Amino acid sequence: MNLASVFGITVVAILITLYEWPKMNKNQKKEKCAFVSLTISGWLLAVLLVYFPDMPGPTDLIDMIFKPFGKLLQK
């Protein structure tokens, strides 16, 4: 099941790339670099969530950082 999910995620990422890439001009090197990096990071996060569904999210990191400050302000 996990392998099929990863294959589906990969197909969707490839389809998005094939749809968006021709619309970008050859001169837009920074935009292409940003597109590739965001697509790869999104693909990687999606695959990680398939294999580790209980992985902590970004709000858990924010809570871990700011919870001590909240305790200091309550006293």
Side-chain angles (χ1 to χ4, degrees), residues 8-51:
I9 292 167
T10 304
V11 167
V12 169
I14 290 171
L15 288 175
I16 289 171
T17 303
L18 289 175
Y19 179 74
E20 291 293 332
W21 197 263
K23 293 183 178 185
M24 290 188 230
N25 294 333
K26 291 182 181 180
N27 306 7
Q28 296 178 320
K29 293 184 181 187
K30 290 181 182 179
E31 287 83 358
K32 286 184 177 184
C33 183
F35 176 76
V36 167
S37 62
L38 287 173
T39 304
I40 290 173
S41 63
W43 176 84
L44 182 64
L45 284 173
V47 169
L48 282 174
L49 282 174
V50 166
Y51 284 106

Side-chain angles (χ1 to χ4, degrees), residues 23 54 56 58 63 69 74-75:
K23 293 183 178 185
D54 297 329
D63 286 343
F69 294 121
Q74 286 180 355
K75 292 182 181 183

